[in-house]
Amino acid sequence: MAEDQEIRKVGLKVTGPRVKILELLEKYDDRHVSAEDVYRMLLEAGEEIGLATVYRVLTQFESAGLVERHNFEGGYSVFELSRGQHHDHIVCIVCGKVVEFTDDTIEERQQAIAEENGFEIGDHSLTLYGRCRDPECPGKQGAITTPSG
Amino acid sequence: MAEDQEIRKVGLKVTGPRVKILELLEKYDDRHVSAEDVYRMLLEAGEEIGLATVYRVLTQFESAGLVERHNFEGGYSVFELSRGQHHDHIVCIVCGKVVEFTDDTIEERQQAIAEENGFEIGDHSLTLYGRCRDPECPGKQGAITTPSG
DNA sequence: CAGAACAATGCAAAAGCTTCTCATTTTCTT
DNA sequence: AAGAAAATGAGAAGCTTTTGCATTGTTCTG
Ligand SMILES: [Mn+2]
Ligand SMILES: [Mn+2]
Ligand SMILES: [Zn+2]
Ligand SMILES: [Zn+2]
């Protein structure tokens, strides 16, 4: 299996949980999932992998460069498969939709700003928050969902 | 007192804790402090204000536009007095030093990108992470110590 | 292919930050 | 000064994430 090789390549042992988690991330490579998401999706697929293991594996995958972790607002992290090319995010504060983008001008300016200020930049986090114009977005129907129901 | 007016102006009752917290934020207006920082600094100054109150007041001040909350990496929030003009941050991952900057080019690009993607932008979070070249920074002496203790 | 060495897992407990509950105190308005 | 409404403090609770430890699984060697 392709996943086995990827896992071995980064110096990790090939175990059931690691393979299943990598497969899931590949299957949902257009989403940004939390550890809890991964845990639950695997449960629903019949894979009983402990939440602690999900956290551990995601962190290992991140260290290995296989996945990226983002800290959008909300107090928890979301993960996605690394796709080589760097990108930033726009998040709809109403429906949670996430759109990705890259902008060379912004990237260049960031580098310049870091240098001007005597910093050697490692990475950066840029996230735009707003409301999307998706007709499906509950924000359009005026029905801001409240947790009362 | 000037603080009393500011607090009243935003529709909050003038109470000891609110005045003391606002005074402290004004005194340390060149820093980015956590709720815990505020709590401890007040304690050391002889003001026994509960941590829960510090959190509540900071959140109220934020809603009122008096302070801004930032979620740098590390899982906790830091606060600073609002100074009208928007700015972003560079954080040294070694010593925790924070430098502020603004860049019109980046701001414009963000707006354009949001529109291109059908988003109405509320706000954004841009933080650069790297190592500073400050000779005082422990990173220079090889002794990596975490600023949060 | 068995066996040993070592790493990974699951569960529960704990951590770390933040919010909530509720009895008590304080503010602000008559 | 008194009452209504809001704020506070202390601790409990909530949430996401990490950790300890006994158990299980993987890999390597022979
Ligand atoms: Mn992404
Ligand atoms: Mn700032
Ligand atoms: Zn939306
Ligand atoms: Zn530094």
Side-chain angles (χ1 to χ4, degrees), chain A residues 3-15 18 56-66:
Chain A
E3 286 82 17
D4 289 28
Q5 295 314 316
E6 276 210 89
I7 293 169
R8 231 185 291 273
K9 195 183 308 178
V10 299
L12 295 172
K13 290 190 176 174
V14 177
T15 65
R18 299 217 255 239
R56 273 185 296 235
V57 169
L58 286 174
T59 301
Q60 291 158 350
F61 282 0
E62 184 194 14
S63 300
L66 253 41

Side-chain angles (χ1 to χ4, degrees), chain B residues 13-84:
Chain B
K13 290 188 178 176
V14 177
T15 65
R18 299 216 255 239
V19 172
K20 292 301 178 190
I21 290 170
L22 185 51
E23 283 178 353
L24 185 138
L25 290 173
E26 281 165 353
K27 177 171 176 186
Y28 294 99
D29 68 348
D30 59 331
R31 293 188 45 183
H32 297 78
V33 296
S34 67
E36 184 85 30
D37 288 337
V38 171
Y39 172 70
R40 241 172 316 103
M41 290 162 105
L42 287 172
L43 255 195
E44 282 164 22
E47 305 292 341
E48 306 221 345
I49 295 173
L51 183 55
T53 298
V54 172
Y55 272 104
R56 272 185 298 235
V57 169
L58 286 173
T59 300
Q60 291 158 349
F61 282 1
E62 183 193 15
S63 301
L66 254 41
V67 315
E68 274 169 34
R69 176 196 306 251
H70 304 293
N71 293 102
F72 297 159
E73 307 219 338
Y76 60 91
S77 300
V78 295
F79 301 82
E80 66 177 323
L81 230 43
S82 292
R83 272 165 294 149

Side-chain angles (χ1 to χ4, degrees), chain B residues 65-121:
Chain B
L66 254 41
V67 315
E68 274 169 34
R69 176 196 306 251
H70 304 293
N71 293 102
F72 297 159
E73 307 219 338
Y76 60 91
S77 300
V78 295
F79 301 82
E80 66 177 323
L81 230 43
S82 292
R83 272 165 294 149
Q85 191 205 22
H86 165 79
H87 65 264
D88 294 302
H89 302 89
I90 315 179
V91 179
C92 176
I93 58 176
V94 176
C95 69
K97 186 168 86 167
V98 178
V99 169
E100 306 183 332
F101 71 88
T102 53
D103 189 88
D104 291 343
T105 304
I106 291 181
E107 298 294 325
E108 283 163 21
R109 288 299 305 139
Q110 287 178 352
Q111 200 57 48
I113 289 161
E115 276 165 27
E116 283 165 23
N117 287 281
F119 272 73
E120 191 181 320
I121 280 303

Side-chain angles (χ1 to χ4, degrees), chain A residues 103 109 120 122-123 129 131, chain B residues 103 109 120 122-123 129 131:
Chain A
D103 189 89
R109 289 298 305 138
E120 191 181 320
D123 68 289
Y129 296 94
R131 297 183 202 291
Chain B
D103 189 88
R109 288 299 305 139
E120 191 181 320
D123 67 290
Y129 296 92
R131 298 183 201 290

